[in-house]
Amino acid sequence: MRRTTAHLLNPANTPVEIAMLSNQPLPLSLGTMSLTFMVVILTFAHSVTSLPADIETGSRRVVHVLEDDTGAVIVQTAPGKVVTHRGGSITLPCRFHHEPENTDPSRIRIKWTKVTDALQFEDVFVALGRQQRVFGSYRGRVSLEQAGPGDASVIIHNVTLEDYGRYECEVTNDMEDDTGFVNLDLEGVVFPYYPRVGRYRLNYQQAEDACKQQDAILASHSQLHKAWLEGLDWCNAGWLEDGSVQYPISHPRDQCGRKDNPAGVRNYGYRHKEDERYDAFCFTSNLNGKVYFLKRFKKVNYAEAVKACVRDGSLVAKVGQLYAAWKVQLLDRCEAGWLEDGSIRYPIVNPRSRCGGPQPGVRHLGFPDKKFRLYGVYCFRKNKEEGEGGPGALSSGSRQLEAVTLPDQE
């Protein structure tokens, strides 16, 4: 149950510093089991704020598990995903049916894992009867939906950037089991990034760290491809979360892989993560706070900018926070200001000639001398928490499963 997409993906440096944004069923797979399961994947969200109009909601994606005349199990699935944003709550839907129907529910094990690189699995949640256990960073944020018999859906509260990805739902009764998959997508924005030391200076780990320092994560190929469809055009190659190096071209030109090459996401393939150096493509989502331009009577250097934001009850905004404010909060300000990494940028939603050209985007003026150059500053003020653990945190009343022992499965 996997899809792969290939795109034309060779860049050259360019002085432009504007990041511009302007079902078919899968193949059948066979297996054998004496017990029949039906896993149903439904793409609807729980307690999710309104989605953009171009995102289909309320549709059903169904995984049918049927038994043919030979007793073999045939699995047919249609691709689907659920969509939310950072800080929201989302249901990862999964339903099952078993024969006979009077099977003891205390013998049903439900397990959720996240599929990571190279088909590695990260434990998320496991339940056996009424006993439950949540793992790692998901502790306090994941619970069963419990919408009725046969419901194996879980709810993730206070969704983080790291929650993005593909999840497996596994339902087991003694020796019989079946699985279904759900993709969790996030609303947000992709942006190119390079540090003060210059372009093409980051290996994979450094690129990953650079994105995290700017309130973001390394973007996936699907996120970069979506950004390209929305108009992102950037002539420098950058790392993606899967270890590949790519860059999006909406307007082909000779200095960016030849003018006669078609537009698309250009791909260098998978590169050596330690030895090779590129920029990064980062992804961020909704803010738990507000970015604003601090109004002052005079321009300031970097150290003065930091103090000014602190006096105002805030911190200097990170690059990812400015991009999120531009994309989600529609922040539009034709004044250059300091950001946390020492760069000077400003967000433009409504382009005008005196504000950097005809395209919307976040303008980047580089990394000036922190001591002697004077600019305004963009600050970030975090929202007040609704209580310890934040909104959507789970109570501690549920029983925790310390150990689950099941027979070895074939």
Side-chain angles (χ1 to χ4, degrees), residues 29 42 104 128 239 253 256 276 288 314 326 329 343 346:
S29 61
L42 307 175
D104 184 358
L128 182 61
W239 290 103
R253 47 209 186 268
C256 299
E276 299 194 36
N288 181 28
S314 306
W326 166 73
Q329 300 174 352
S343 65
Y346 62 100

Side-chain angles (χ1 to χ4, degrees), residues 34-49:
S34 60
L35 186 65
T36 303
F37 282 96
M38 180 176 72
V39 180
V40 183
I41 305 301
L42 307 175
T43 60
F44 60 88
H46 173 82
S47 301
V48 181
T49 57

Side-chain angles (χ1 to χ4, degrees), residues 314-353:
S314 306
L315 298 173
V316 178
K318 299 175 182 291
V319 176
Q321 291 168 342
L322 184 64
Y323 269 94
W326 166 73
K327 177 70 172 182
V328 179
Q329 300 174 352
L330 302 182
L331 180 62
D332 183 289
R333 188 83 184 192
C334 192
E335 294 187 69
W338 291 104
L339 293 184
E340 186 269 346
D341 68 339
S343 65
I344 300 296
R345 307 176 195 247
Y346 62 100
I348 296 296
V349 175
N350 302 305
R352 48 266 199 205
S353 58

Side-chain angles (χ1 to χ4, degrees), residues 374-388:
L374 306 179
Y375 296 93
V377 58
Y378 286 92
C379 304
F380 172 73
R381 179 178 294 135
K382 189 175 181 180
N383 293 335
K384 293 182 179 179
E385 297 292 344
E386 297 182 11
E388 188 174 349

Side-chain angles (χ1 to χ4, degrees), residues 281-410:
F281 284 102
C282 306
F283 173 84
T284 193
S285 185
N286 278 29
L287 292 169
N288 181 28
K290 179 182 178 180
V291 173
Y292 61 98
F293 185 83
L294 183 61
K295 296 180 180 179
R296 293 180 56 85
F297 294 109
K298 65 176 184 176
K299 306 297 184 182
V300 292
N301 63 26
Y302 181 81
E304 292 168 337
V306 171
K307 294 178 181 179
C309 286
V310 171
R311 284 196 298 267
D312 203 49
S314 306
L315 298 173
V316 178
K318 299 175 182 291
V319 176
Q321 291 168 342
L322 184 64
Y323 269 94
W326 166 73
K327 177 70 172 182
V328 179
Q329 300 174 352
L330 302 182
L331 180 62
D332 183 289
R333 188 83 184 192
C334 192
E335 294 187 69
W338 291 104
L339 293 184
E340 186 269 346
D341 68 339
S343 65
I344 300 296
R345 307 176 195 247
Y346 62 100
I348 296 296
V349 175
N350 302 305
R352 48 266 199 205
S353 58
R354 65 184 183 87
C355 297
Q359 297 291 340
V362 175
R363 313 293 196 247
H364 183 196
L365 303 184
F367 295 85
D369 186 289
K370 288 185 174 182
K371 185 175 181 180
F372 297 107
R373 298 301 298 273
L374 306 179
Y375 296 93
V377 58
Y378 286 92
C379 304
F380 172 73
R381 179 178 294 135
K382 189 175 181 180
N383 293 335
K384 293 182 179 179
E385 297 292 344
E386 297 182 11
E388 188 174 349
L394 302 182
S395 65
S396 58
S398 60
R399 297 175 62 187
Q400 295 296 301
L401 180 61
E402 297 302 331
V404 177
T405 304
L406 293 175
D408 293 336
Q409 300 184 18
E410 298 178 351

Side-chain angles (χ1 to χ4, degrees), residues 26 50 54 92 106 130 176 182 202 271 350 360 373:
L26 294 179
S50 59
D54 61 342
L92 301 186
S106 66
R130 295 184 178 181
E176 313 299 341
V182 183
L202 303 173
R271 314 305 299 180
N350 302 305
R373 298 301 298 273

Side-chain angles (χ1 to χ4, degrees), residues 84-371:
T84 185
H85 55 78
R86 177 167 55 179
S89 295
I90 191 72
T91 295
L92 301 186
C94 178
R95 297 191 64 84
F96 65 93
H97 174 75
H98 54 81
E99 299 285 353
E101 294 187 358
N102 61 355
T103 300
D104 184 358
S106 66
R107 300 177 67 85
I108 298 294
R109 188 188 76 162
I110 298 169
K111 184 178 182 181
W112 281 89
T113 54
K114 185 179 181 184
V115 185
T116 58
D117 290 344
L119 292 180
Q120 299 297 311
F121 294 85
E122 175 188 358
D123 289 337
V124 175
F125 174 89
V126 64
L128 182 61
R130 295 184 178 181
Q131 300 180 88
Q132 301 178 14
R133 184 178 181 184
V134 186
F135 297 87
S137 63
Y138 296 93
R139 288 193 180 101
R141 299 192 297 118
V142 174
S143 62
L144 278 175
E145 186 179 45
Q146 296 179 321
D151 186 19
S153 306
V154 293
I155 304 172
I156 302 180
H157 302 271
N158 193 20
V159 171
T160 69
L161 294 176
E162 291 74 17
D163 292 341
Y164 168 87
R166 184 172 175 84
Y167 291 80
E168 179 189 69
C169 171
E170 179 185 45
V171 180
T172 305
N173 181 14
D174 294 328
M175 294 293 292
E176 313 299 341
D177 71 282
D178 193 47
T179 60
F181 293 87
V182 183
N183 291 315
L184 172 56
D185 198 5
L186 297 178
E187 301 167 352
V189 58
V190 172
F191 61 95
Y193 187 79
Y194 64 90
R196 173 179 286 274
V197 292
R199 288 174 168 160
Y200 291 1
R201 299 295 184 91
L202 303 173
N203 64 23
Y204 178 84
Q205 185 62 55
Q206 291 167 338
E208 189 174 50
D209 292 343
C211 288
K212 289 181 179 180
Q213 290 167 7
Q214 299 309 317
D215 193 43
I217 58 174
L218 278 175
S220 68
H221 168 74
S222 62
Q223 289 168 337
L224 183 63
H225 183 254
K226 181 181 178 181
W228 170 73
L229 291 174
E230 295 174 348
L232 180 63
D233 184 285
W234 193 254
C235 195
N236 289 84
W239 290 103
L240 297 183
E241 56 88 20
D242 64 355
S244 66
V245 173
Q246 307 180 25
Y247 68 105
I249 294 296
S250 298
H251 309 286
R253 47 209 186 268
D254 287 336
Q255 63 268 39
C256 299
R258 299 183 61 179
K259 186 176 182 179
D260 56 350
N261 284 342
V265 180
R266 312 279 170 79
N267 192 346
Y268 280 2
Y270 298 102
R271 314 305 299 180
H272 196 287
K273 289 186 175 181
E274 295 182 3
D275 295 343
E276 299 194 36
R277 301 290 192 273
Y278 298 94
D279 295 343
F281 284 102
C282 306
F283 173 84
T284 193
S285 185
N286 278 29
L287 292 169
N288 181 28
K290 179 182 178 180
V291 173
Y292 61 98
F293 185 83
L294 183 61
K295 296 180 180 179
R296 293 180 56 85
F297 294 109
K298 65 176 184 176
K299 306 297 184 182
V300 292
N301 63 26
Y302 181 81
E304 292 168 337
V306 171
K307 294 178 181 179
C309 286
V310 171
R311 284 196 298 267
D312 203 49
S314 306
L315 298 173
V316 178
K318 299 175 182 291
V319 176
Q321 291 168 342
L322 184 64
Y323 269 94
W326 166 73
K327 177 70 172 182
V328 179
Q329 300 174 352
L330 302 182
L331 180 62
D332 183 289
R333 188 83 184 192
C334 192
E335 294 187 69
W338 291 104
L339 293 184
E340 186 269 346
D341 68 339
S343 65
I344 300 296
R345 307 176 195 247
Y346 62 100
I348 296 296
V349 175
N350 302 305
R352 48 266 199 205
S353 58
R354 65 184 183 87
C355 297
Q359 297 291 340
V362 175
R363 313 293 196 247
H364 183 196
L365 303 184
F367 295 85
D369 186 289
K370 288 185 174 182
K371 185 175 181 180

